[in-house]
């Protein structure tokens, strides 16, 4: 997750320090076995990609060591109008060109459509993605924040598989994990769709804004306190960081879940990387689920 | 939308004035390029169809200029029991016969099943609709107020396509338009189903009870005030009526959305017809969506 | 429904009286034409199955007169951890072996997976069920408390049909019956899926904790009072028990709904069995639906 790179969400220009930070983060990630970097055209208003691109330029061997994805389709409020989504061929094509330029690369490993645009013209979008794919500008396609029905709809017009859906998912917001066990009549079956179609779920907000891993203050709910204490205990038991436990709740699920980590803190990145050597037992996984739900499973 | 024709929801008999009004409305609609008329057996307790039928009788050339749809399946509280739905073969067949008699026509262009009846026997309903279709009494079949799963279920037993689903949809109640962008796990994919199956969405309540087009009083919410002001501005910009802007929010969507207009006011009908020369820009469409949501898109 | 057999949810050992009670209940059921007995490994902590098994042992001809189903997959809080679901091959296989031993039978007519386990490994579960089926230990497979998408997912890996989904459903909690007529955008289509796939819905809690059939006290809501009075009247009209009316609301639905009755009271079992000679008219069915909703259908 590169949403913090390039000097923050402001219009300051990128400093030499920002580049150094990006370099250090990339190096740290590679050391820890993390090689997928998640961008979006809007992150720090494009500066995240620019900073990353400058590091790529400085290190000719770096490109082949990393997998780079970015996203387009969200347009912030501007002189033309309010915040909106834009899946027009012009905007998608323009966005990809700009992303490639900022990153100084020839091809994105994955392009994600950032939010479902109700105004999407299916055939137009499909033709645009196919053209970008043929031109070698994107290797794979994914989406973000979509429902199962929307994934299936877009897939119906594409000759290559949608490989990922990036959604908010964490121990604090267990989304489809919890929805699947609640006996309602309105669960859209995302977990099952992802498994059947071999779609990776990328979890944004995977660390839950750090609420389980930072120092507790008295303001937090009993739920968060209880869950945090359980995490501290599990971290000792599994001999990993608290961050690793928070992420292991996701990676234990049979859906292929890839946590996205937004931090720029090197120590925290290292802490997160420990999830790779932590597979929770089913019993411990249910312990965390019960704790974050605030009551036992039905 | 003919739900106001025939002298209102009462048991008064139809007056010559009611017939005159119906005639004037039909004439006005045809002048404005509106040729689809939406009935239901229950509208003004059958009087809407009777008034419409009398005008058809008086004007032998009128039938071929208009497309007429009606609905059956809702039974109001009566001596037999409470308000209910009735998809029994007897009731559907009886209802269609009565509709045709009241309208003085040989064939309905479209018959809609008005509300999903939980007691529907699939095969019985399918055989009934097929028989009515073969007998030439209905040209096409649609439904109303159904979920995607219900449409697919009924379609599975029919040899001809369900062509429409009439649901409540407006700028005030954006239904699936808003549901599709909210990252929940319980969206049934109506927009995608309609596009894939080529099903027209007919929007009842499309003018949102006039809340954006009548004089504002102080009681209305900040949301409605803000949206109304935006509509006034857009109406000037696009050089159309406020009603046209309210409806253009629907017709701009890639799903084929046909607004249903309930008014009997000729000036208002003309105002609505201006939607045909108004295609909102994506930016303006999102402006309206943000305003009616009360907050920007996610 | 055998959840009350064997002396209650405690650790007392089973008494001769408990066995006698079980025997009397089975006899009563068979007299009333009820031959399906619904167990679960957890009911009265296994004692329900043990008591039932002892009666089966005493009566060599009984086994062929009854259809026995049981469930596994829920594990209560224990020394290992919190309440959880466990669809591991080891646990399912172990559970079935124990169920067969407790019941003193060679084969379960139906095994239900009790609650959807988010950690389910599809292929593992499928192979386990196939092996149990091949070994003759289970004749049929069903599930409980699952969504339509979960049923379809599990079915995709099985060579034999899932025959049932046991969910909470009653006049007090009309679940999908009510969801199907509410014009939301989040109904998962359980009623349609069950009909298309020929899946029986087993209704647990079918008597709604007796709230419509016991003596009314002043605490109950106006809704329950009104519905109870309607039930009393319908019971007279159809010349059946109040329990039969409560259950007939379920069995009247075109989905194949099998009510599960939890009572151990012989008089009440007999009262319930009267549902077999009671088919509600559509009008009366809608009367009950309106009453339990507290307002008329949309």
């Amino acid at each position: 997750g590169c949403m913090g790179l390039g000097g923050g969400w402001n219009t300051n220009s990128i400093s030499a320090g920002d580049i150094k930070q990006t370099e250090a983060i990339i190096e740290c990630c590679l050391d820890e076995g993390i090689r997928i970097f998640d961008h979006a055209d809007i992150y720090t208003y494009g500066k995240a990609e620019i900073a990353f691109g400058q590091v790529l330029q400085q290190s000719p061997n770096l490109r082949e060591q990393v997998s780079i994805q970015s996203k387009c389709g969200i347009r912030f409020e501007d002189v033309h109008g309010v915040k909106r989504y834009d899946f027009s061929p012009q905007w998608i094509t323009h966005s990809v060109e700009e992303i490639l330029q900022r990153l100084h690369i020839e091809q994105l490993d994955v392009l994600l459509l950032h939010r479902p645009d109700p105004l999407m013209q299916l055939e137009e979008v499909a033709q645009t993605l196919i053209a970008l794919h043929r031109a070698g500008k994107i290797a794979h396609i994914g989406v973000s924040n979509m429902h199962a029905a929307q994934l299936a709809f877009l897939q119906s017009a594409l000759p290559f598989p949608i490989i990922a859906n990036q959604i908010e998912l964490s121990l604090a917001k267990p989304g489809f994990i919890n929805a699947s066990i609640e006996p309602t009549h309105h669960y859209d079956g995302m977990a099952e769709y992802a498994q059947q179609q071999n779609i990776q779920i990328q979890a944004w907000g995977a660390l839950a804004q750090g609420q389980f891993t930072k120092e507790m203050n008295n303001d937090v709910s009993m739920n968060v306190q209880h869950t945090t204490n359980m995490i501290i205990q599990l971290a000792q038991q599994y001999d990993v960081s608290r961050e690793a436990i928070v992420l292991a709740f996701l990676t234990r699920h049979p859906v292929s879940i890839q946590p996205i980590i937004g931090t720029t803190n090197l120590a925290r990145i290292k802490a997160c990387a420990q999830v790779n050597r932590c597979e929770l037992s089913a019993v411990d996984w249910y312990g965390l689920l019960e704790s974050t739900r605030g009551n036992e499973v039905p």
Side-chain angles (χ1 to χ4, degrees), chain A:
Chain A
C2 303
M3 62 155 30
L5 302 186
W9 292 75
N10 54 47
T11 55
N12 302 343
S13 57
I14 299 172
S15 69
D18 296 334
I19 307 292
K20 272 216 147 50
Q21 183 203 35
T22 300
E23 200 172 2
I25 287 170
I26 295 172
E27 199 177 333
C28 173
C29 286
L30 291 177
D31 284 351
E32 297 296 334
I34 300 169
R35 49 178 294 283
I36 302 170
F37 293 85
D38 176 62
H39 285 274
D41 55 357
I42 56 172
Y43 288 171
T44 59
Y45 305 115
K47 293 193 294 174
E49 291 176 339
I50 292 173
F52 201 95
Q54 295 200 7
V55 175
L56 282 171
Q57 258 193 315
Q58 291 165 19
S59 323
N61 297 327
L62 182 54
R63 178 67 187 92
E64 64 193 25
Q65 299 174 57
V66 296
S67 178
I68 303 175
Q69 72 178 14
S70 190
K71 316 183 193 75
C72 70
I74 295 180
R75 299 181 70 165
F76 287 131
E77 187 175 0
D78 58 19
V79 293
H80 304 294
V82 300
K83 182 179 174 187
R84 59 202 182 274
Y85 311 141
D86 189 345
F87 281 13
S88 66
Q90 296 77 6
W91 184 255
I92 292 175
T93 304
H94 168 78
S95 300
V96 170
E97 298 286 359
E98 300 257 304
I99 289 167
L100 294 177
Q101 276 181 33
R102 281 192 294 266
L103 285 168
H104 282 288
I105 59 176
E106 302 292 319
Q107 184 184 57
L108 273 175
D109 293 292
V110 189
L111 174 72
L112 304 185
L113 300 177
H114 209 152
R115 290 264 179 196
D117 177 9
L119 298 184
M120 175 178 80
Q121 296 287 349
L122 180 64
E123 280 307 320
E124 272 186 16
V125 169
Q127 290 314 313
T128 304
L129 296 177
I130 290 167
L132 288 167
H133 185 257
R134 277 206 193 121
K137 296 187 175 176
I138 55 178
H140 296 98
I141 279 293
V143 298
S144 187
N145 302 300
M146 282 204 190
H147 297 270
Q150 294 167 317
L151 277 159
F153 183 55
L154 180 56
Q155 184 62 75
S156 73
L158 291 176
F160 37 76
I162 298 171
I163 65 163
N165 185 19
Q166 186 171 128
I167 60 177
E168 187 174 19
L169 192 69
S170 71
L171 185 53
K173 296 192 176 175
F176 68 73
I177 298 173
N178 203 42
S180 72
I181 60 169
E182 289 291 347
T184 60
H185 288 287
H186 46 76
Y187 163 59
D188 78 347
M190 178 55 82
E192 290 71 28
Y193 184 81
Q195 286 178 79
Q196 285 189 298
Q197 302 299 320
N198 204 21
I199 289 171
Q200 182 188 59
I201 298 295
Q202 300 181 346
W204 65 266
L207 287 170
Q209 290 77 48
Q211 65 183 281
F212 301 120
T213 45
K214 61 188 174 193
E215 286 313 300
M216 268 192 282
N217 58 44
N218 296 326
D219 294 351
V220 302
S221 69
M222 289 296 291
N223 240 11
V224 172
Q225 278 182 45
H226 184 270
T227 306
T228 302
N229 287 330
M230 185 178 286
I231 289 165
I232 290 170
Q233 196 185 356
L234 289 171
Q236 289 188 314
Q237 184 185 322
Y238 285 87
D239 193 22
V240 293
S241 65
R242 285 153 71 171
E243 285 83 358
I245 298 296
V246 173
L247 301 180
F249 176 75
L250 299 178
T251 57
R252 180 64 175 81
H253 195 280
V255 167
S256 169
I257 298 180
Q258 171 69 58
I260 305 292
I261 310 306
T263 185
T264 56
N265 178 313
L266 299 190
R268 200 134 189 256
I269 290 171
K270 287 178 190 173
C272 289
Q274 294 179 23
V275 68
N276 290 326
R277 54 182 175 85
C278 174
E279 182 172 279
L280 291 174
S281 71
V283 165
D284 290 332
W285 187 87
Y286 272 100
L288 287 168
L289 180 61
E290 175 180 299
S291 184
T292 194
R293 285 168 51 90
N295 51 356
E296 61 179 18
V297 296

